[in-house]
Amino acid sequence: MGGMLYKLFASASLLTLGLYHLVCTFFHVIKSPQSYAAKPFYPLPRVSGNNNNNRLQKLPLIILILSLAVAFLHQTLISFYSDPLVKGSTPVHRFSSLNSAAVFLLFLIVAVYLLLSESASSLIPLPSDLLFALASGGFFLHYSAATASAAIQTSDLQAHCDSLSARVSALCSLLCLLLACRPRLFIADAALAASVCLQGLWQLQTGLSLYVDGFIPEGCHRLLDVSGGVEGSTQCDIQESKLRAVSVLDLMFTVHVVLVVMLLFVTYTMVAMAAGVRRTGSYEALPNNSSDSSNHIQMKSLTGTQA
């Protein structure tokens, strides 16, 4: 039950963060495409004359810090519990959990410094390219930790879930590195937000497939160490059931990718409508040089005179 609750918390946090970043990215590129540049954090809009709203500008960053703190504490606490259901038993489980906790601690330190630099004038804010580079390193460490966690699992389903989660983290690391080098690369910024949403959906699917009886694939069952009283995730004893369960997980991952793409289209449409952008029909491309420009204008004038 505890594992499912943590997956729900992680899913809600990642979905909220990813969707908020996606909305802010679309809004800024629609309103000011010429001055657009990716940012690691978008504060809430400032409302003139409303001091309470201005104090809540950093609310998304505060929620991120709280979420990272909960994740860090969770990984640290579970490292003190025994887990004989992983390869290498409890010692391997302890170091694997502490490895994940260290990754969350890295993100937490960066987020806290960002909050303090935005609030206190004594701290110099870090450049956006450096923040994206640090985020890239953090996501790569999370990819490494998830890959190592998948390697020690006796549950084939949990190993496959961790492996797919690691791939999403690797994609986030690559996108952050691109944004550190090319901050005006809008497609990388939108893809990063979409990848975070995908990670949130996959955390939810992982919790359902591993801890909820109604979603456990056919032919699989929950692991249980009777002597130690430790309840693990899901295991498939028969090879045919294992292959079928892995195929189901791959299908669900693809379904979540499709859902994220649909979410991206819907979000862009809603943000464009909220920003007052309307489709005005077709347009003609502007000429590239001055001579073509004069010829283009003369042809337009001649066409108007003949009409």
Side-chain angles (χ1 to χ4, degrees):
M1 187 62 180
M4 183 61 200
L5 289 177
Y6 177 72
K7 291 297 183 182
L8 283 174
F9 171 79
S11 176
S13 301
L14 289 169
L15 277 173
T16 303
L17 174 64
L19 185 58
Y20 175 77
H21 193 89
L22 190 64
V23 170
C24 293
T25 299
F26 285 156
F27 181 80
H28 281 80
V29 79
I30 289 174
K31 295 296 289 185
S32 53
Q34 300 300 327
S35 60
Y36 166 79
K39 297 180 181 179
F41 164 69
Y42 292 96
L44 289 175
R46 179 185 294 272
V47 178
S48 58
N50 191 341
N51 294 328
N52 292 330
N53 180 271
N54 295 336
R55 295 192 190 100
L56 294 177
Q57 274 192 297
K58 302 175 183 65
L59 180 61
L61 187 57
I62 295 174
I63 295 176
L64 173 61
I65 291 174
L66 293 177
S67 300
L68 289 172
V70 171
F72 168 73
L73 291 176
H74 175 266
Q75 293 295 330
T76 303
L77 289 176
I78 65 174
S79 67
F80 293 100
Y81 291 90
S82 61
D83 191 354
L85 298 177
V86 299
K87 299 176 183 178
S89 192
T90 300
V92 175
H93 160 73
R94 177 171 293 119
F95 287 115
S96 177
S97 299
L98 290 176
N99 187 19
S100 299
V103 174
F104 288 123
L105 180 62
L106 172 62
F107 280 109
L108 182 60
I109 291 174
V110 174
V112 169
Y113 184 88
L114 181 58
L115 177 63
L116 294 178
S117 62
E118 294 285 341
S119 305
S121 57
S122 58
L123 293 178
I124 300 176
L126 294 177
S128 295
D129 54 353
L130 179 57
L131 288 173
F132 276 119
L134 291 173
S136 177
F139 279 119
F140 181 80
L141 289 176
H142 187 268
Y143 156 76
S144 177
T147 303
S149 176
I152 65 173
Q153 298 297 330
T154 55
S155 167
D156 298 316
L157 261 66
Q158 184 166 352
H160 194 65
C161 289
D162 291 343
S163 177
L164 291 175
S165 176
R167 296 177 189 178
V168 179
S169 296
L171 176 60
C172 292
S173 177
L174 176 61
L175 292 172
C176 286
L177 185 60
L178 287 175
L179 290 173
C181 302
R182 299 282 302 275
R184 292 182 57 84
L185 194 58
F186 161 70
I187 188 173
D189 198 12
L192 176 61
S195 299
V196 174
C197 291
L198 177 61
Q199 188 71 275
L201 288 176
W202 188 243
Q203 290 299 313
L204 176 61
Q205 183 62 50
T206 299
L208 293 175
S209 299
L210 298 181
Y211 302 109
V212 179
D213 293 335
F215 291 88
I216 293 178
E218 183 180 354
C220 305
H221 60 87
R222 298 287 300 277
L223 286 172
L224 178 64
D225 180 67
V226 180
S227 60
V230 177
E231 187 178 11
S233 55
T234 304
Q235 175 68 29
C236 304
D237 295 328
I238 304 176
Q239 183 69 11
E240 182 179 352
S241 299
K242 170 190 171 182
L243 295 177
R244 179 182 179 276
V246 170
S247 299
V248 170
L249 287 177
D250 289 336
L251 173 61
M252 294 308 301
F253 184 81
T254 305
V255 169
H256 288 308
V257 172
V258 174
L259 289 177
V260 169
V261 173
M262 293 175 61
L263 176 65
L264 189 146
F265 290 152
V266 172
T267 303
Y268 184 83
T269 302
M270 295 182 65
V271 171
M273 292 176 62
V277 177
R278 295 291 184 272
R279 184 174 179 178
T280 57
S282 60
Y283 63 94
E284 296 184 20
L286 293 178
N288 293 327
N289 51 57
S290 57
S291 60
D292 290 344
S293 177
S294 59
N295 294 335
H296 181 78
I297 294 174
Q298 292 175 3
M299 291 297 296
K300 283 288 188 179
S301 302
L302 180 59
T303 303
T305 304
Q306 293 176 352

